[in-house]
Amino acid sequence: MKDLIKYFLKMFNYIKTLLLLLIFSTLNSGLLIAANKDSFNNNWKFIREQAPLSFKIEEVIANNFNDDNWEKVRLPHSAKLEPLPVNNQWQGISWYRKGFEIPASAVDKQLLIEFEAAMNFTQIWINGSLIKEHQGGYLPIVVDITNLVKTKGENTIVVRLDNSDNEVTGPKPLKRLDFNMYGGLYRNAWLISKNKLHITHPILQNKVAGGGIFVTYPLATEEKAIVSVQTHINNLDNTTQLHVVQEILKGKKVIAKVKSEKFTLLKGKGHTLKQDLSIKKPNLWSLDHPNLYALVTKIYKGKEVVDKETTTIGIRRMEFKGTSFYLNGKETFLRGVNRHQEYPFIGYALSDNAQIRDAIKIKQAGFDYVRLSHYPQSPAFMDACDSLGLVVLDAILGWQYYNPSDDFRNQMFNASRDLIRRDRNHACVMAWEVSLNETQMPLEFREKLSAVAHEEYPGDQCFTAGWMAEGWDIYLQARQHRILHKNSGHVEKPYLVSEYGDWEYYSNNAGLNQDKMSKDLRFKTSSRQLREFGEKRLLQQVTNVQEAHNDNLNTSAFADSYWVMYDYTRGYHPDIESSGLMDIFRLPKWGYYFYQSQRSPTKMYLAMVKIGSYWQKDSPLNLRVFSNCDEVKLYLNNTLIGTQKPDENTVSTNLNHPPFTFKIDAFEEGTLKAVGYIKGKEITSDIVRTPKQPKAVKITIDKSSVALASNVNDVVFVYFSIEDENGTLVADYAQKINLELHGDIELMNVGEVKAEAGIGTALIKINSLEKGFSIEANTADNLHGSYEFGAL
């Protein structure tokens, strides 16, 4: 039997779209990147507040405060490592301090500090002066420190964070929340220096449908595209004459260029300039071909370039005709999934590389769309979606909580504006979920949220989405609510099944007769299945998702999004929410392969076949094979069991590629081989073997085609597969695995590393790769494995 991990990693090589990461690595971020934007992640000191306090606020914000006993950290950083499951997530006050000097090159310039996110109520001091208070833990905080810092000598920044329950930001209290919000400065921080004459920052400028660079596409066809660029410029210097040049690059080649007339900008004034560029026969951005360009904006003062920013853009047009979704004029159904952004132990503090690896797994699983539930996610994840052709439903924070206060309502309006200002240039964004998920809201509030989005993104390419039918352009409805309300799923406006496949099988009030089951049976037949629960229950998850996805295709929905891609922890519950197609360690369950099989083979996406069995004594004899081939032959010990077409039953009527079910009379130890055929030609195959006694530990690092990175807090999963003498996974192994780490790496696990369904997982943080590292694994029954990563 093929090792599950070996197969999983092999599948990455099948997806040619991963080559698009070369584009991702050579182009700048979809978030506007200036040439003078430097990392501000290093050399922080950190402490969590504990009673009684050992310091006063006026002391800790002073430049001469002694923080020698604080922990040295680098961002991204989590306020506390948490165990699995997270039974009582830490909430409280945490502090970050950092001394920094202004480089000589930044003297006499505008200086900004940007935090990509900070959880949740933030206060910032520079050299003892409070300069910012910010509510909300998922969107950027940008502060202008120009007049507060010394250009010679050390400056001090102090950040106080409070991740306690918050009535202004919501959602409902953690003890009743379905996910954890964690804490800390968990994304990147940047120090930005600008000439006095500069392109503004859209978050700092706070200008409706303005600030920074805003790119739209009045025309986008295969024959011609018009790229409309709106640039906002501020002049903090003397009155001056300037002009603006826009260039669009494909690779290193300039394919379009426009130069403005010279104009005069008075001191202390701003100006918005609109310029159009025309491209003949553009390479449009699409699901299978997510073509990206670099837009370079240059501000000239005479012959001198005084500011330059590069924006990654993808030329495309999205529209609805009736209830159908069209991308570049082609009707498209979006098969998707929901994603929570957490990792085990470190919470939200993922490296950019980890964010990219998550996006790759979603695309590779057969999805073309991801709903960001239920909050704004990392800029790095958004960039990866641009590069991979993953359409995104972009959301503000919200889950079962509404506060009628002005503070709360204004917070939601402001969050909607900041979300759009941050993400408006991303090709991947289909719509803005400016809505509070599963929350009863007044109609006027819903309409105001939608109006805010349309104000920030004028034109016919802005679509809003929300949880109730009235108020937004797109109606989001979870499948369990459609079942409960006995709706047909055919509505007059664009309709999206926002969640499905989990709650309708789990709850005793979700409309599928679970109330007639015992609690134990209801759990066994739900979609919430850990890998350790075994083959029968993992296949039950597949049955559920197949039935639900097939049923969604009976509605007028233009898209659906399974709940959920990855297992995650819950604020209110001691157990991991395990309806993920991959577990919290990003190991696939068989539901993952069901979705992968729904993507038809093309030159870009190869044919696949996967046997849904470990083929051991207690394995189900109704054996399922997941494949996008026309026909599958199954062999047992080289004897043909049968040749079959895809299943034909009530849960397969609408599927692209139903599974293949083979009925085997009796278990026989040995080798199963499934061979996939297309138009009578053998295309691909899969093999599983009955496992023998465990002999060794195989160590695999989940790079997901993204190289390990040094000095950026890169985090990566390391898998310890228990194998027999033939390299077959021993899926019933569940013992502790002892580790020895050598090199500048850290084990982030809280608690022991233990095999689950034959595989143990460690989360490793990479500090430095300069001298390489090695990992040794041993078990009490004398199994051993080793891995070595050479010095760079």
Side-chain angles (χ1 to χ4, degrees), residues 170 366 418 433 525:
D418 282 352
E433 189 177 336
T525 57

Side-chain angles (χ1 to χ4, degrees), residues 227-229 231 244-246 258-260 273-277:
V227 180
S228 184
V229 185
T231 308
V244 180
V245 173
Q246 307 283 356
V258 65
K259 176 181 177 181
S260 76
L273 179 69
K274 293 185 179 181
Q275 297 165 283
D276 288 345
L277 297 91

Side-chain angles (χ1 to χ4, degrees), residues 196-198 200 205 232-236 265 269-271:
K196 296 290 182 70
L197 181 64
H198 62 264
T200 60
Q205 194 62 33
H232 186 255
I233 305 162
N234 268 355
N235 183 22
L236 304 180
L265 190 56
K269 297 296 182 180
H271 178 71

Side-chain angles (χ1 to χ4, degrees), residues 118-184:
M119 187 62 71
N120 174 50
F121 173 61
T122 305
Q123 295 171 293
I124 302 173
W125 289 264
I126 295 289
N127 293 332
S129 297
L130 178 66
I131 63 168
K132 184 73 173 182
E133 292 187 337
H134 181 268
Q135 294 275 17
Y138 295 95
L139 287 165
I141 306 170
V142 184
V143 292
D144 187 335
I145 63 170
T146 307
N147 298 322
L148 297 169
V149 294
K150 300 173 288 187
T151 56
K152 293 184 178 180
E154 186 173 76
N155 299 279
T156 302
I157 181 171
V158 178
V159 181
R160 179 184 185 269
L161 302 180
D162 184 351
N163 72 332
S164 303
D165 297 336
N166 190 313
E167 293 184 353
V168 174
T169 66
K172 66 184 184 182
L174 185 64
K175 67 181 181 180
R176 296 188 286 114
L177 191 63
D178 190 55
F179 55 95
N180 286 287
M181 292 173 63
Y182 300 102

Side-chain angles (χ1 to χ4, degrees), residues 32 199-200 202 207-218 227-232 246 272-276 295 297 309 311 313 420-421 423-426 432 453-459 461-462:
L32 303 181
I199 303 164
T200 60
K207 184 179 177 64
V208 173
I213 295 172
F214 187 2
V215 187
T216 56
Y217 310 97
V227 180
S228 184
V229 185
Q230 176 182 291
T231 308
H232 186 255
Q246 307 283 356
T272 297
L273 179 69
K274 293 185 179 181
Q275 297 165 283
D276 288 345
L295 168 69
T297 304
E309 291 193 358
T311 310
I313 63 172
I420 295 171
R421 291 166 184 171
D423 290 345
R424 63 196 179 189
N425 292 327
H426 281 286
W432 310 97
H454 282 283
E455 287 172 5
E456 288 293 336
Y457 201 120
Q461 291 292 282
C462 177

Side-chain angles (χ1 to χ4, degrees), residues 611 633-636 671-675 682 685-688:
I611 298 173
K633 291 186 177 182
L634 182 70
Y635 297 85
L636 174 56
T671 300
L672 283 173
K673 181 178 181 180
V675 182
E682 180 178 334
S685 64
D686 184 34
I687 293 175
V688 297

Side-chain angles (χ1 to χ4, degrees), residues 5 189 308 350-351 377 411 447 449 466 473 481 547 587 605 611 706 737 743 746:
I5 299 304
K308 180 176 77 170
L350 281 66
S351 63
Q377 299 189 14
Q411 171 69 17
E447 291 175 337
L449 284 168
D473 303 317
H481 299 140
E547 186 276 330
L587 286 165
Y605 306 111
I611 298 173
V706 180
I737 303 173
E746 294 180 54

